[in-house]
């Protein structure tokens, strides 16, 4: 039975991102955003206001820059932490200088969304807002492709990417002074004017923090695009290298993807052992899917002798870890547990103790040991285990 879990797409040649053309220069973002806005307005029969157009183009430009910095924080921190090019430090200083304009840009987008919701049926309003957000995401991806050339970020490319943000010249109020960006000289003025609008109201303070406005939750977009490029070129080694890079930075989904890929591979005799290693690492990162997948391998004798008792304990712990956290993962673990418990003598009320969790971790870790190219993480701190009384 195949393992079902939340992974990136492993199959070489399968796209992760849309293959539609995206802008490759920052200077194309504003026209793209404005075109999307005008198209949606026209299709929905809404009145078009020139001042509104300018504001929204400026807001789209501003927020895409913020998206790019968010990605750079995530992708470049490991390379430059503690240096003068520290991604968090560069981004934070830029944020301090541009915070008022970010507040205004976010307010403008909220106004756009509110206008759609007030004048359109719910389904069309949701679609219109999604189209605008997708436009900014595509602009961001295009910018990142221009920087990293669809390769994994390196210290050098990260330094070059962050360099413009280190000086006030690249702030929204000054960007029109840069050669090639003269046409955007009004953006700062447009945002400043919008900030004086009588209706302007910044978001709640919790949404105005550095980590909220330049959130790393955007994900490792540049690395995923490099992996996608490797897939398009049928470069399996580069795909694996990219996924390993993400997994070593704590990306659970990448670890699960590696585990699933090696589990389904027949290239070498050690692939099943590699699958155990990556599922174990995913579990160590806190993934219930990691221990659930190890349970499937123990149940089916994949990379290890069949062990129904070990498998059912793994499924039970996966259930406990997923409760109130991940409905889909809980369903996967519950299904595996229910099917096996019908064949086993163990009662359905099983609860995995912390000592048993550690014992399972040791067993699976032993199965994965000895691979020179995979560093195994520490024993999982399983929050789902049941502490025993002292």
């Amino acid at each position: 039975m195949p393992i079902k879990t939340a992974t990136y797409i492993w199959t070489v040649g399968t796209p992760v991102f849309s293959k539609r053309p995206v802008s490759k220069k920052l200077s194309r973002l504003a026209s793209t955003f404005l075109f999307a806005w005008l198209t949606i307005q026209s299709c929905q029969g809404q009145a078009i206001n020139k001042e509104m157009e300018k504001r929204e183009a400026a807001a789209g430009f501003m927020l895409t820059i913020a998206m790019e910095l968010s990605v750079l924080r995530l992708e470049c921190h490991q390379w430059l932490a503690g240096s003068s090019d520290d991604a968090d430090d560069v981004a934070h200083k830029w944020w301090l200088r541009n915070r008022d304009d970010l507040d205004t840009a976010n307010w403008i987008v909220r106004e756009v969304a509110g206008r759609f919701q007030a004048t359109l049926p719910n389904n069309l309003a949701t679609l219109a807002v999604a189209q605008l957000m997708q436009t900014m995401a595509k602009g961001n991806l295009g910018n990142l492709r221009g920087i990293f050339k669809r390769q994994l970020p390196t210290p050098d490319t990260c330094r070059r990417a962050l360099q413009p943000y280190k000086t006030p010249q690249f702030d929204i109020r000054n960007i029109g002074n840069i050669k090639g960006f003269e046409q955007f000289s009004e953006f700062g003025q447009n945002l400043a004017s919008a900030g004086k609008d009588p209706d302007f109201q910044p978001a709640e303070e919790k949404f105005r923090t550095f980590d909220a406005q330049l959130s790393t939750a955007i994900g490792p977009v540049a690395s995923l695009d490099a992996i996608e490029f490797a897939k398009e070129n049928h470069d399996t080694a580069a795909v694996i290298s990219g996924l390993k890079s993400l997994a070593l930075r704590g990306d659970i989904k990448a670890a699960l993807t590696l585990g699933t890929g090696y589990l389904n591979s027949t290239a070498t005799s050690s692939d099943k052992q590699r699958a155990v290693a990556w599922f174990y690492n995913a579990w160590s990162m806190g993934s219930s899917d990691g221990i659930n997948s190890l349970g499937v391998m123990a149940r089916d004798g994949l990379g290890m002798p069949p062990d129904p008792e070990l498998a059912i304990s793994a499924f039970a712990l996966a259930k406990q870890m997923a409760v109130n956290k991940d409905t889909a993962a809980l369903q996967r673990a519950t299904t595996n547990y229910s099917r096996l418990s019908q064949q086993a003598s163990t009662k359905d009320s099983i609860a995995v103790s912390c000592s048993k969790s550690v014992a399972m971790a040791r067993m699976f870790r032993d199965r994965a040991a000895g691979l020179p190219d995979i560093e195994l993480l520490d024993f999982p701190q399983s929050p789902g285990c049941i502490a025993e009384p002292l």
Side-chain angles (χ1 to χ4, degrees), residues 317-330:
L317 181 57
K319 285 173 58 179
Q320 291 167 211
M321 291 178 67
V323 169
N324 298 325
K325 293 181 180 179
D326 188 331
T327 302
L330 176 60

Side-chain angles (χ1 to χ4, degrees), residues 70-219:
S70 297
V71 174
L72 294 178
R73 283 187 65 198
L74 180 63
E75 297 275 20
C76 298
H77 176 73
Q78 63 166 336
W79 301 115
L80 306 173
S83 72
S84 60
D85 297 306
D86 186 298
D88 274 356
D89 185 54
V90 172
H92 189 261
K93 289 176 179 176
W94 180 91
W95 173 76
L96 287 173
R97 298 194 306 267
N98 292 270
R99 186 181 182 189
D100 289 344
D101 291 318
L102 267 177
D103 283 341
T104 304
N106 280 308
W107 171 72
I108 290 170
V109 171
R110 291 199 307 275
E111 287 291 292
V112 172
R115 194 154 54 247
F116 283 147
Q117 290 164 358
T119 57
L120 298 174
N122 287 339
N123 60 329
L124 293 180
T126 300
L127 176 62
V129 172
Q131 287 175 331
L132 289 178
M133 297 302 103
Q134 186 179 48
T135 298
M136 287 189 285
K138 285 184 175 181
N140 179 46
L141 178 58
N143 299 341
L144 294 169
R145 285 180 173 178
I147 295 166
F148 296 111
K149 311 302 182 187
R150 306 196 74 185
Q151 301 298 311
L152 291 175
T154 66
D156 286 342
T157 54
C158 280
R159 284 192 188 93
R160 288 198 294 271
L162 289 163
Q163 184 59 38
Y165 297 103
K166 295 175 71 174
T167 66
Q169 187 181 14
F170 209 67
D171 295 351
I172 193 70
R173 302 281 179 106
N174 304 323
I175 201 168
N177 298 324
I178 301 175
K179 186 176 180 180
F181 290 83
E182 296 88 352
Q183 67 268 44
F184 306 131
S185 59
E186 291 186 356
F187 280 178
Q189 300 169 17
N190 294 334
L191 291 175
S193 173
K196 297 176 182 177
D197 190 300
D199 294 327
F200 170 70
Q201 184 175 358
E204 294 179 51
E205 191 60 33
K206 65 181 179 180
F207 298 120
R208 299 179 64 231
T209 65
F210 171 59
D211 285 326
Q213 292 191 328
L214 296 184
S215 172
T216 56
I218 192 171

Side-chain angles (χ1 to χ4, degrees), residues 289-307:
D289 273 329
I291 182 61
N292 181 63
S293 299
L294 290 171
V296 172
M297 296 189 74
R299 180 196 65 196
D300 296 344
L302 301 170
M304 63 187 77
D307 190 335

Side-chain angles (χ1 to χ4, degrees), residues 308-309 312 337-348:
E309 292 302 319
I312 203 165
Y337 180 84
S338 298
R339 287 174 176 168
L340 189 56
S341 64
Q342 293 172 4
Q343 308 166 26
S345 59
T346 312
K347 295 181 179 179
D348 190 59

